[in-house]
Amino acid sequence: RNLAASRAAARHSLAMARAGRLFHSSTMRPYLSGVGRWTSWGENIGMTSGSVADLERAFMASSVHRTHILSRAFRHVAVGAIVYRHRLWVTLVFYG
């Protein structure tokens, strides 16, 4: 786990929560600067007013999100999760 990348992911989750909408990162620089060599990356974002399990099921039901989660190209993940106004906002950045 890369703490700096996870902090950047948490900042992105907070930005989405404050905006009240989901949006992807415009750059991977905050996540992947200083993590060494990487050749591929992916990003999953999500929000739920339910449980973590609900969000996991939603990710796994989506072919793109599932592909990121199961990809052998990714060896690392940064996780940023926050609760804001009774909703869980999550940013996952995969890289390898």
Side-chain angles (χ1 to χ4, degrees), residues 4 10 16 19 22 29 35 40 42 46 69 71 78 82 85:
M16 292 189 300
L22 295 170
R29 187 173 313 246
V35 301
S40 60
I69 292 167
S71 175
I82 64 145
R85 296 188 178 162

Side-chain angles (χ1 to χ4, degrees), residues 56-78:
E56 179 186 13
R57 279 190 290 277
F59 280 154
M60 294 307 280
S62 161
S63 63
V64 172
H65 293 98
R66 183 181 177 90
T67 296
H68 287 161
I69 292 167
L70 299 177
S71 175
R72 292 177 187 233
F74 304 137
R75 299 285 186 211
H76 308 278
V77 64

